[in-house]
Structures are given as structure tokens and as C-alpha cells.
Amino acid sequence: MANYTQRIKLLKTKLQRDGLDALLISKRENIIYLTGLDIESSSIIITSGRKDIIITDARFAEEASEKKGHFEIALTNGSRYKIINRLLKKRRIKKLGFESNWLVYNNFLHLVKELRRITLVPKKYLVEDLRMVKDTDEISLLKRSVSILNKAFSRAKKRIAPGMTGADMAIYLDNLMRRFGAGGPAFETIVAQNPQSSRPHAKATAAPFRRGSAILMDMGACYERYNSDLTRLLFLGRIPTKFKYVYNIIKTAQKKAIEAIRPGTRISELDKMARNYITRKGFGRYFLHSLGHGVGLEIHESPSISRKNSERLKPGMVFTVEPGIYIKGWGGLRIEDMVLVTEDGYEVLTDAIPK
Amino acid sequence: MANYTQRIKLLKTKLQRDGLDALLISKRENIIYLTGLDIESSSIIITSGRKDIIITDARFAEEASEKKGHFEIALTNGSRYKIINRLLKKRRIKKLGFESNWLVYNNFLHLVKELRRITLVPKKYLVEDLRMVKDTDEISLLKRSVSILNKAFSRAKKRIAPGMTGADMAIYLDNLMRRFGAGGPAFETIVAQNPQSSRPHAKATAAPFRRGSAILMDMGACYERYNSDLTRLLFLGRIPTKFKYVYNIIKTAQKKAIEAIRPGTRISELDKMARNYITRKGFGRYFLHSLGHGVGLEIHESPSISRKNSERLKPGMVFTVEPGIYIKGWGGLRIEDMVLVTEDGYEVLTDAIPK
């Protein structure tokens, strides 16, 4: 059982620091993070001092009622904004933050219209910033998610053979993940053979595997809503020289970036470390994306591991490191691991899974 | 191959009618609908007269390049809004519509900041309104999606027996759908036994089925991105009298609503038809949601079949009709079918699947 009280307490501290009376939260993953409830079309209001509120509808009344001790439950039957206004007035809330990276334009207009006497303050990634640093509950769930993925991939790769298709392989792997305890795959499993693999987001296709080809598998498990993410390359038969050459470049690039991981390092440095190496080797223009992304309740979340992110690493951050080289007409190679920032360095969560 | 040219043409007519020079579209399903491209973090601009534009990044350059004949392709490397501004100026676009039901507050601010000399016009559900009336390509895909679901459910229900769990059943069904050609399930399959089924969105659980219980299965297939959606009830052993009694109420309520379907009928009438009947029978307060929802590229899309929707039915609309009665501590019963509005009435797409 996750420590929701602690998470909410941290958020309340942030609200006080920012001079907000409350924050309106409607993003599903943020609600799950703070309450454990997976409720659609709902919102919660976390206040800086007063009792917090869940606003949902009759479909989720039973789930929400389990939270009665900690939250006031308000059931809507139509527009939530009138009800939100009433609840906020009752609590004398004057300054309300809202998720400016999530609330759509129309709903912002509803807020403006209904909450006439309340100051609305756009707040970007306030809960996401908390979620960026994983607590111990989350780290165990992520490790469990990785261990399911590991078991499934180890089993699945033994089955790979010429004639099998990417789609077959994806189904086989997804079933193994579920058999080993995952709710399902974290995203649509990618099993791409060269040359199709030159598209970083190629899907699993019905083309049978050929001897001598390179197969890229990008896969993840979802365990209790926590995702894992991993890319491995498999070669059928002898590895052609050019694959081996390019493979070693991305492997070294990945190693350089991972070895730079420790609290305090600028995130942009990691991307530069890998990208500069790949560029020196002459493949810079084929590295088509940033180095990685955070992983947690969302498969892509903060921090973004890109050249533009000047934030510094903190213990508890979990993200992917995934350099890749994609050449149209030839194919794409990528290696991806999930790394946890520790107090004095890093732990590669997917290390048990051989490259 | 869907008729993207025709869909774009219809949208251009709407833009001209609304006096817009162009519409900025970033919602994924809307981009798929208009181009067939499934590209993340991308946008397209459909103009009222000039050449249309795809704005994406290097990851999707290869996919996008297939559309070169019909679109200008702009690759971004960071913020799209500066590039959008340049492209619009080049085309002398003065009035730009944006998806006000989709664009988040922060991105709206970016638009305001970068597009200084362009008038921004919020447009709600412009593409979604087109998507609400399915064309013949879409109707075939939806029928195919239903037929896969039908095959999978017919096979799966034979396997149901005391001792099996909801989670087992969900996995078995999902695999059958994939075996019969689906990309995967349309949503997380619900297999809920009473009394847990009193939560309309109960998940599949590890509790073994008991003899004499009612099992609610809510499931859908996703075929070429088109979803199907169906709820059936299965009884293990003799059907207890109260289940039979309540079941007949929702069955009759559903029948009444479906028989009222024809072009021109107000959508609110359908919900009222079912709800009034259930209310007369004394169960009104246990019908916790609206009667149904549109189904297509999204599993929940327009039209919403609710009391508040005063729009009129049009041929080509596809939606669910799913009355339900949920009693805490006892259980929930729901029947759900997908219906197509025809020129002179309706066609129940899921009719081959016995209730």
C-alpha cells in the first residue's frame, strides 16, 4: 500500500510555498499517484490546509467512498465546475492552481466562467515534479515490473527463429508478461526487422523473420500501473559486420551516458555524452530522438533526457537511456535500459537482461 | 484504403463555412482520421484552400514522407510553434482555428505568443463532428471489429466454469481476439462477478467464479484502430429469480431505446426512453450512467447518448446502447450493443451475439 498521506503532505508543502490555497487535479495518473483511485472524468482538489475533495460521478461512487476518511466526496451529474465553485467558496479558497500542462482550453474557460471570485494560477507539472522522484514503494513496483519483463523476454527470445513473424512474437511476449503477473504490456510491443526498423516507432508486422537479419524488440510490462521499458536487438545467424560496427557504437555511447549518472549531473550532459560520441563516429544525423525519458505511472514522463533539459539528476529518478541509429533503407539499431539514480551513482534496473 | 481526400474535402468545406483560413489539429485520432498517419507529438494544418501541412519530428519523418504528394512536411526539433508561425505567414493565413477541446492551456499560450499576427479561433469538436458520421470504409472496419469480437466471445463463453477467474477469462478472450485478427483489446476487458459487478467499471479480478453467480463481461476488439464494444451477462447454473427479474427490465429498456432509433430522433429521447422505463420499474436510481456513447477510432467518442444531448440522429452514426442497474452489495447487470443508424432506422451491429 503506497504512502498516499506522505505524497499529499509533500504536495501541500509545495502549495504553501507557492502561496496557493488549493490545486485542482484532473490528470488521471496524478489522481492515481495521490489517492490510488483510477477514476475517469474526475478531479481532486488538494488544499494547502483544509480537507481535500474528490469530485467524481455515480459510476465511481463506490470506489471513491473508500476514501471518505481523508476526502470529502462530491458526486457530479453533469458539469463539475459549478460544484467545484461551491466547494471552494465553502472553504474560502481564494487562489486555486490548475494543471496548465493538462487542462484543455475549453475547461479553462469553464473555470474562468464559474469561479468568478477565485484567482486561477497556472501550474505546470507540479504533481509530475513530485512523481519524477520515485519513493520506495514506487521503486519496488518498478523493479517488479522489470523483473516480469526480464522473465518474459528471456523466455521469448529462445523461441525466435526464421519464419516466425514480428506479430507472433509480440503476442507471445505479451502473454508471457501477463502469465508472469503483469496487467498487460506497457505499450504496443515493437518487433521490427531491418530495414523496417529504421522507423524508431515501427510496429510489429506480419513479415516473417529472415536469417541474417537484425530484430529490434522494444517492450515493457505494466505491473500495478508501473511501467517498464527495454529495447534489445537479436540477430538471426551470423551478425553482419556493419551491424556489429554500428551496434558497438551505440553500446559505447550508452555506456558513456550511464557512467555519468549521479546526483547533481545536468540531465543535458547525459544526452550530449552519448550524442557527441555517436557524432564523432559519423552517425550523428541518424540519432533521431533524445536519449531517454522518465518511466513510472506513465511510460513517457518527466524527466526528459534531452539536450535541452538543464535540470540536475536527483536520487530516485528513473529513466531510460536509449541511443539509436536509424538509416532509411538499411535498418535501425537501439539499445535501451532503465536506470535508477541512487544516492551516489546509479543502478541499471534492467541489467539482468543481457544485451 | 480509406478516402482521406474526401474527409479532408469535407473539413475544408466546414472551414470555408466558418470563415477560417486553416485549422491546427493535434489530437492523434483526428490526425489518423484525416491522413492515416499515427504519429505522436505531431500536428497537421488543414487549410481552406492552400496546400496542407504535416508538422512532426525526425522519428516520424519516414512515415510522413509517404504523404509528400498531398502535404508539405515540416520537421521540428523542439518547439513546433515557431515553425507553425513561419508556415502560416508564408501562406498568408490570418484566421486559424484550433481544437479547443484538445489543446492544453500551456500550448494555447505558446500559440498566442508565437502567432502574434494571426487571429486564433477556438473550435470545439470540428473533426470529431465529421467522425461522428461514419463513412462506408469506417462502417466496414467497425463491422469487422465486431465480427472478430463475436467469434472470440462465442468461443470464450464455452470455456466459462466455476473455479475459473475473471483475470483468466480476460486473458483468454484477449488472445482469441488477437488470434482472430484484432490488434488487441479495445480497452481493459471487464469480467466481473456479483457483487463486485456493482461498480460499472469493475476490473477483471482473481476471484474464482462461483456457481449461481452472474458474470458481467464488457469487452471490445480493436481492428485497424476501429473499436467494438459489447457487454453480455453469463449465469453459472440456475438463474436466481432476482437476477432474471432485473435482467428483463434492462433488456426491455434496451429494446425500447433501440426501436426508437431512426434519423431525426433526438438523442436525448433514447436515454429517456430507457431511463423512464427503468424508473417506472423502481430502479431509476441504480442506473448510474448515460445510455451509451459513440464508438469509432476512440472507444468513447461523440455522440454521447445522454439526456442532455439534444442533437438529432443521422445515418452513419454508430453508438452503444447499454442500460444497467447496479446495486451495491448485490451486483450489477448491464447489456450493451452497438447500433448503426441507417437511412430509415437502425442496424444492431452486435446482433449476431446472443444476449
Side-chain angles (χ1 to χ4, degrees):
Chain A
M1 181 74 179
N3 196 340
Y4 301 116
T5 318
Q6 177 60 18
R7 293 178 189 168
I8 289 176
K9 207 176 128 194
L10 282 172
L11 181 58
K12 284 178 187 280
T13 310
K14 280 192 151 196
L15 297 182
Q16 287 153 9
R17 184 202 64 193
D18 291 358
L20 293 175
D21 299 325
L23 180 69
L24 173 68
I25 300 164
S26 306
K27 183 171 169 176
R28 197 162 170 177
E29 289 83 3
N30 290 347
I31 297 177
I32 293 175
Y33 179 74
L34 293 167
T35 67
L37 293 176
D38 184 4
I39 49 183
E40 287 165 33
S41 337
S42 301
S43 299
I44 63 175
I45 295 171
I46 303 294
T47 66
S48 64
R50 305 165 192 80
K51 196 171 185 181
D52 304 319
I53 313 166
I54 295 173
I55 301 124
T56 187
D57 62 59
R59 293 174 301 160
F60 301 103
E62 211 175 320
E63 280 90 335
S65 69
E66 290 167 8
K67 292 278 171 181
K68 258 182 189 156
H70 299 280
F71 288 88
E72 174 175 352
I73 318 290
L75 294 186
T76 66
N77 181 7
S79 162
R80 6 180 175 171
Y81 297 99
K82 279 199 202 319
I83 292 177
I84 289 174
N85 184 45
R86 218 175 50 223
L87 292 162
L88 295 177
K89 274 171 87 174
K90 211 174 75 186
R91 282 173 174 69
R92 299 175 190 284
I93 280 167
K94 304 257 182 298
K95 270 184 98 172
L96 177 74
F98 67 91
E99 297 166 295
S100 64
N101 56 301
W102 185 253
L103 195 77
V104 302
Y105 178 86
N106 273 340
N107 289 340
F108 172 69
L109 284 197
H110 287 306
L111 274 186
V112 170
K113 208 179 122 198
E114 298 293 343
L115 279 57
R116 285 179 190 278
R117 292 201 199 128
I118 291 166
T119 308
L120 293 171
V121 184
K123 279 287 159 190
K124 204 169 154 180
Y125 298 121
L126 210 54
V127 182
E128 285 86 347
D129 281 351
L130 281 180
R131 286 171 44 204
M132 194 154 67
V133 172
K134 270 66 182 174
D135 59 32
T136 51
D137 292 310
E138 294 186 286
I139 292 169
S140 343
L141 290 169
L142 285 166
K143 285 186 172 176
R144 181 73 192 273
S145 183
V146 166
S147 117
I148 290 168
L149 180 60
N150 183 8
K151 256 172 94 176
F153 174 65
S154 309
R155 180 82 65 94
K157 73 177 179 193
K158 286 182 197 144
R159 177 79 80 94
I160 205 157
M164 188 181 198
T165 72
D168 290 341
M169 189 58 175
I171 293 180
Y172 182 58
L173 182 84
D174 293 355
N175 281 326
L176 287 170
M177 289 194 278
R178 292 177 97 165
R179 196 193 302 164
F180 297 141
F187 52 89
E188 199 179 330
T189 301
I190 296 174
V191 188
Q193 185 174 214
N194 64 302
Q196 286 77 20
S197 52
S198 68
R199 302 176 173 200
H201 283 244
K203 309 272 181 221
T205 64
F209 299 144
R210 300 176 315 272
R211 195 166 291 281
S213 71
I215 294 153
L216 182 153
M217 288 184 65
D218 188 347
M219 57 215 143
C222 184
Y223 173 74
E224 298 282 335
R225 308 202 175 282
Y226 279 81
N227 295 296
S228 47
D229 196 356
L230 174 80
T231 304
R232 288 291 182 261
L233 290 158
L234 298 167
F235 295 95
L236 277 176
R238 245 188 84 259
I239 309 179
T241 320
K242 194 175 174 190
F243 282 136
K244 209 183 272 179
Y245 181 74
V246 172
Y247 180 81
N248 282 324
I249 294 171
I250 55 172
K251 204 171 146 191
T252 307
Q254 195 203 33
K255 191 163 173 275
K256 284 179 181 287
I258 290 176
E259 285 175 358
I261 294 173
R262 68 181 59 83
T265 303
R266 274 195 204 282
I267 288 176
S268 52
E269 283 307 310
L270 305 183
D271 185 291
K272 280 180 204 157
M273 203 82 77
R275 196 171 304 274
N276 290 347
Y277 178 75
I278 291 174
T279 304
R280 280 202 306 276
K281 292 289 171 183
F283 290 90
R285 71 191 190 95
Y286 301 108
F287 181 12
L288 300 179
H289 47 72
S290 48
L291 184 65
H293 55 84
V295 184
L297 285 167
E298 290 172 275
I299 182 69
H300 290 145
E301 59 179 43
S302 297
S304 163
I305 311 300
S306 88
R307 276 171 288 187
K308 289 170 199 139
N309 192 344
S310 58
E311 280 179 273
R312 291 180 189 278
L313 293 174
K314 285 182 200 155
M317 284 181 171
V318 173
F319 51 84
T320 67
V321 179
E322 46 175 316
I325 289 176
Y326 310 89
I327 302 173
K328 195 171 163 178
W330 177 69
L333 299 185
R334 175 170 71 247
I335 317 175
E336 175 184 29
D337 281 279
M338 268 171 77
V339 184
L340 163 70
V341 184
T342 60
E343 292 299 330
D344 54 1
Y346 63 88
E347 179 186 346
V348 181
L349 299 178
T350 43
D351 230 8
I353 312 171
K355 285 169 208 180
Chain B
M1 180 76 179
N3 196 340
Y4 301 116
T5 318
Q6 176 61 16
R7 292 177 190 169
I8 289 176
K9 207 176 129 192
L10 282 172
L11 181 59
K12 284 179 187 279
T13 310
K14 279 190 151 198
L15 297 182
Q16 286 154 7
R17 184 202 63 193
D18 291 358
L20 293 175
D21 298 325
L23 180 70
L24 173 68
I25 299 165
S26 307
K27 182 171 170 176
R28 197 163 170 176
E29 288 84 2
N30 290 346
I31 297 177
I32 294 175
Y33 179 74
L34 293 168
T35 67
L37 292 175
D38 184 5
I39 49 183
E40 286 165 33
S41 337
S42 301
S43 299
I44 63 174
I45 295 171
I46 302 294
T47 65
S48 63
R50 304 166 191 79
K51 197 170 184 182
D52 303 319
I53 312 165
I54 294 173
I55 301 123
T56 186
D57 63 59
R59 293 174 300 161
F60 301 103
E62 211 175 318
E63 281 90 336
S65 69
E66 290 168 7
K67 292 277 173 182
K68 259 182 188 158
H70 298 281
F71 289 88
E72 174 175 352
I73 317 291
L75 294 186
T76 67
N77 181 6
S79 163
R80 359 177 180 174
Y81 297 100
K82 278 198 204 316
I83 291 178
I84 289 174
N85 185 46
R86 220 177 48 225
L87 291 162
L88 295 178
K89 273 170 87 174
K90 212 175 72 185
R91 282 174 173 69
R92 299 174 190 284
I93 280 167
K94 303 258 183 298
K95 272 184 98 172
L96 176 74
F98 68 91
E99 296 166 295
S100 64
N101 57 301
W102 185 253
L103 195 77
V104 302
Y105 178 85
N106 273 340
N107 288 340
F108 172 69
L109 285 198
H110 286 306
L111 274 187
V112 171
K113 209 179 120 197
E114 297 294 342
L115 279 55
R116 286 177 189 278
R117 292 201 199 129
I118 291 167
T119 309
L120 294 170
V121 184
K123 279 287 159 189
K124 204 170 156 180
Y125 299 121
L126 209 55
V127 182
E128 285 86 346
D129 281 351
L130 280 180
R131 286 172 44 204
M132 194 155 66
V133 172
K134 269 68 183 172
D135 59 33
T136 51
D137 291 311
E138 294 185 285
I139 292 170
S140 344
L141 291 168
L142 285 166
K143 285 186 172 175
R144 183 73 192 273
S145 183
V146 166
S147 118
I148 290 168
L149 180 60
N150 182 8
K151 257 173 94 175
F153 174 65
S154 308
R155 180 81 64 94
K157 74 177 179 195
K158 286 182 196 144
R159 177 78 80 93
I160 205 159
M164 188 181 197
T165 72
D168 291 341
M169 188 58 174
I171 293 180
Y172 182 58
L173 183 83
D174 293 355
N175 281 327
L176 287 170
M177 289 194 278
R178 292 177 99 166
R179 196 193 303 164
F180 297 141
F187 53 89
E188 199 179 329
T189 301
I190 297 174
V191 188
Q193 184 174 216
N194 63 302
Q196 286 77 20
S197 52
S198 68
R199 301 176 173 200
H201 284 244
K203 308 271 182 224
T205 65
F209 297 145
R210 301 176 315 272
R211 194 166 292 282
S213 72
I215 294 154
L216 181 152
M217 288 183 65
D218 188 347
M219 58 216 142
C222 184
Y223 174 73
E224 299 281 335
R225 308 202 176 280
Y226 279 82
N227 296 296
S228 48
D229 196 357
L230 174 80
T231 304
R232 288 292 182 260
L233 291 158
L234 297 167
F235 296 95
L236 276 176
R238 244 189 85 258
I239 308 179
T241 320
K242 194 175 174 189
F243 282 136
K244 208 183 272 180
Y245 181 74
V246 173
Y247 180 80
N248 281 325
I249 294 172
I250 54 173
K251 203 171 146 190
T252 307
Q254 195 204 33
K255 191 164 173 274
K256 284 179 181 289
I258 290 177
E259 285 175 356
I261 295 173
R262 68 180 60 83
T265 303
R266 273 194 204 283
I267 288 176
S268 52
E269 283 306 310
L270 304 183
D271 185 291
K272 280 180 204 156
M273 202 82 76
R275 197 170 302 274
N276 290 346
Y277 178 75
I278 291 173
T279 304
R280 280 202 305 277
K281 292 289 171 182
F283 290 89
R285 71 192 190 93
Y286 301 108
F287 180 13
L288 300 180
H289 48 72
S290 48
L291 184 66
H293 54 84
V295 183
L297 284 167
E298 291 171 276
I299 182 68
H300 290 146
E301 58 178 43
S302 298
S304 162
I305 310 299
S306 88
R307 275 171 289 187
K308 288 168 200 141
N309 192 344
S310 58
E311 279 179 273
R312 292 180 187 278
L313 293 174
K314 284 181 201 156
M317 284 181 172
V318 173
F319 52 82
T320 68
V321 179
E322 48 175 315
I325 289 175
Y326 310 89
I327 303 173
K328 195 172 165 179
W330 178 68
L333 300 185
R334 172 169 74 247
I335 317 176
E336 176 183 29
D337 281 278
M338 268 170 77
V339 184
L340 163 70
V341 183
T342 59
E343 291 300 331
D344 54 2
Y346 63 89
E347 179 184 346
V348 181
L349 298 179
T350 43
D351 228 9
I353 313 172
K355 285 170 206 179

mmCIF file of all heavy atoms in Angstrom, chain A residues 10 16 50 61 89 95 124 130 187 277 300 307 325 332:
data_model
loop_
_atom_site.group_PDB
_atom_site.id
_atom_site.type_symbol
_atom_site.label_atom_id
_atom_site.label_comp_id
_atom_site.label_asym_id
_atom_site.label_seq_id
_atom_site.Cartn_x
_atom_site.Cartn_y
_atom_site.Cartn_z
ATOM 1 N N LEU A 10 3.630 16.188 0.935
ATOM 2 C CA LEU A 10 4.656 16.860 0.130
ATOM 3 C C LEU A 10 4.031 17.891 -0.805
ATOM 4 O O LEU A 10 4.551 18.991 -0.984
ATOM 5 C CB LEU A 10 5.441 15.836 -0.703
ATOM 6 C CG LEU A 10 6.498 15.029 0.036
ATOM 7 C CD1 LEU A 10 7.049 13.923 -0.863
ATOM 8 C CD2 LEU A 10 7.640 15.953 0.493
ATOM 9 N N GLN A 16 1.849 25.522 -0.183
ATOM 10 C CA GLN A 16 2.122 26.604 0.763
ATOM 11 C C GLN A 16 3.277 27.464 0.267
ATOM 12 O O GLN A 16 3.197 28.691 0.263
ATOM 13 C CB GLN A 16 2.416 26.019 2.156
ATOM 14 C CG GLN A 16 1.157 25.494 2.839
ATOM 15 C CD GLN A 16 1.433 24.392 3.838
ATOM 16 O OE1 GLN A 16 2.584 24.102 4.158
ATOM 17 N NE2 GLN A 16 0.379 23.752 4.333
ATOM 18 N N ARG A 50 -6.931 22.746 4.425
ATOM 19 C CA ARG A 50 -8.241 22.175 4.759
ATOM 20 C C ARG A 50 -8.397 20.759 4.206
ATOM 21 O O ARG A 50 -7.484 20.203 3.633
ATOM 22 C CB ARG A 50 -9.319 23.107 4.231
ATOM 23 C CG ARG A 50 -9.142 24.533 4.765
ATOM 24 C CD ARG A 50 -9.974 25.539 3.979
ATOM 25 N NE ARG A 50 -9.610 26.918 4.298
ATOM 26 C CZ ARG A 50 -8.542 27.562 3.786
ATOM 27 N NH1 ARG A 50 -7.727 26.945 2.959
ATOM 28 N NH2 ARG A 50 -8.298 28.810 4.113
ATOM 29 N N ALA A 61 -18.716 6.097 -7.512
ATOM 30 C CA ALA A 61 -19.081 6.435 -6.133
ATOM 31 C C ALA A 61 -18.570 5.374 -5.163
ATOM 32 O O ALA A 61 -18.064 5.704 -4.083
ATOM 33 C CB ALA A 61 -20.593 6.578 -6.025
ATOM 34 N N LYS A 89 -15.843 27.875 -2.420
ATOM 35 C CA LYS A 89 -16.373 29.011 -1.654
ATOM 36 C C LYS A 89 -16.569 28.617 -0.196
ATOM 37 O O LYS A 89 -16.236 29.386 0.709
ATOM 38 C CB LYS A 89 -17.705 29.484 -2.263
ATOM 39 C CG LYS A 89 -17.491 30.474 -3.404
ATOM 40 C CD LYS A 89 -18.762 30.775 -4.133
ATOM 41 C CE LYS A 89 -19.559 31.915 -3.485
ATOM 42 N NZ LYS A 89 -20.737 32.245 -4.357
ATOM 43 N N LYS A 95 -7.113 31.402 -3.937
ATOM 44 C CA LYS A 95 -6.130 31.198 -5.021
ATOM 45 C C LYS A 95 -6.057 29.715 -5.355
ATOM 46 O O LYS A 95 -5.616 28.910 -4.531
ATOM 47 C CB LYS A 95 -4.742 31.679 -4.559
ATOM 48 C CG LYS A 95 -4.496 33.142 -4.874
ATOM 49 C CD LYS A 95 -3.086 33.553 -4.493
ATOM 50 C CE LYS A 95 -2.142 33.545 -5.684
ATOM 51 N NZ LYS A 95 -0.830 34.129 -5.322
ATOM 52 N N LYS A 124 2.466 24.288 -13.854
ATOM 53 C CA LYS A 124 2.929 23.300 -14.828
ATOM 54 C C LYS A 124 3.643 22.183 -14.076
ATOM 55 O O LYS A 124 4.557 22.463 -13.288
ATOM 56 C CB LYS A 124 3.918 24.024 -15.739
ATOM 57 C CG LYS A 124 4.098 23.430 -17.099
ATOM 58 C CD LYS A 124 4.886 24.423 -17.945
ATOM 59 C CE LYS A 124 5.639 23.742 -19.053
ATOM 60 N NZ LYS A 124 6.376 24.715 -19.854
ATOM 61 N N LEU A 130 6.763 15.997 -8.460
ATOM 62 C CA LEU A 130 6.853 15.074 -7.315
ATOM 63 C C LEU A 130 7.081 13.651 -7.820
ATOM 64 O O LEU A 130 7.915 12.916 -7.299
ATOM 65 C CB LEU A 130 5.545 15.072 -6.520
ATOM 66 C CG LEU A 130 5.254 16.205 -5.548
ATOM 67 C CD1 LEU A 130 3.896 15.960 -4.895
ATOM 68 C CD2 LEU A 130 6.346 16.265 -4.479
ATOM 69 N N PHE A 187 2.958 -0.840 -23.489
ATOM 70 C CA PHE A 187 2.658 -0.151 -24.758
ATOM 71 C C PHE A 187 2.665 -1.212 -25.838
ATOM 72 O O PHE A 187 3.012 -2.367 -25.566
ATOM 73 C CB PHE A 187 3.697 0.950 -25.060
ATOM 74 C CG PHE A 187 5.123 0.448 -25.001
ATOM 75 C CD1 PHE A 187 5.743 -0.074 -26.123
ATOM 76 C CD2 PHE A 187 5.830 0.467 -23.792
ATOM 77 C CE1 PHE A 187 7.045 -0.560 -26.053
ATOM 78 C CE2 PHE A 187 7.132 -0.025 -23.719
ATOM 79 C CZ PHE A 187 7.741 -0.542 -24.856
ATOM 80 N N TYR A 277 29.559 11.276 -28.841
ATOM 81 C CA TYR A 277 30.300 10.084 -29.250
ATOM 82 C C TYR A 277 29.792 9.557 -30.602
ATOM 83 O O TYR A 277 30.576 9.295 -31.520
ATOM 84 C CB TYR A 277 30.194 8.997 -28.172
ATOM 85 C CG TYR A 277 30.908 7.734 -28.561
ATOM 86 C CD1 TYR A 277 32.303 7.655 -28.529
ATOM 87 C CD2 TYR A 277 30.203 6.626 -29.010
ATOM 88 C CE1 TYR A 277 32.966 6.509 -28.926
ATOM 89 C CE2 TYR A 277 30.857 5.466 -29.398
ATOM 90 C CZ TYR A 277 32.236 5.410 -29.353
ATOM 91 O OH TYR A 277 32.893 4.280 -29.748
ATOM 92 N N HIS A 300 5.999 7.364 -20.748
ATOM 93 C CA HIS A 300 6.850 8.527 -21.020
ATOM 94 C C HIS A 300 6.484 9.610 -20.034
ATOM 95 O O HIS A 300 5.369 10.131 -20.083
ATOM 96 C CB HIS A 300 6.615 9.091 -22.433
ATOM 97 C CG HIS A 300 7.121 8.191 -23.523
ATOM 98 N ND1 HIS A 300 6.484 8.061 -24.736
ATOM 99 C CD2 HIS A 300 8.191 7.374 -23.582
ATOM 100 C CE1 HIS A 300 7.155 7.201 -25.496
ATOM 101 N NE2 HIS A 300 8.195 6.771 -24.813
ATOM 102 N N ARG A 307 18.939 17.145 -24.673
ATOM 103 C CA ARG A 307 19.948 18.215 -24.682
ATOM 104 C C ARG A 307 19.438 19.482 -24.047
ATOM 105 O O ARG A 307 20.192 20.343 -23.627
ATOM 106 C CB ARG A 307 20.285 18.574 -26.143
ATOM 107 C CG ARG A 307 21.297 17.707 -26.769
ATOM 108 C CD ARG A 307 21.374 18.021 -28.249
ATOM 109 N NE ARG A 307 20.185 17.534 -28.961
ATOM 110 C CZ ARG A 307 20.052 17.555 -30.284
ATOM 111 N NH1 ARG A 307 21.013 18.050 -31.030
ATOM 112 N NH2 ARG A 307 18.978 17.077 -30.857
ATOM 113 N N ILE A 325 20.529 4.386 -33.794
ATOM 114 C CA ILE A 325 20.967 4.851 -35.115
ATOM 115 C C ILE A 325 20.019 4.249 -36.138
ATOM 116 O O ILE A 325 19.822 3.025 -36.156
ATOM 117 C CB ILE A 325 22.438 4.426 -35.376
ATOM 118 C CG1 ILE A 325 23.375 5.257 -34.475
ATOM 119 C CG2 ILE A 325 22.817 4.596 -36.848
ATOM 120 C CD1 ILE A 325 24.844 4.864 -34.564
ATOM 121 N N GLY A 332 17.392 0.017 -38.299
ATOM 122 C CA GLY A 332 17.634 0.815 -37.102
ATOM 123 C C GLY A 332 18.108 -0.061 -35.970
ATOM 124 O O GLY A 332 17.669 -1.197 -35.816
#
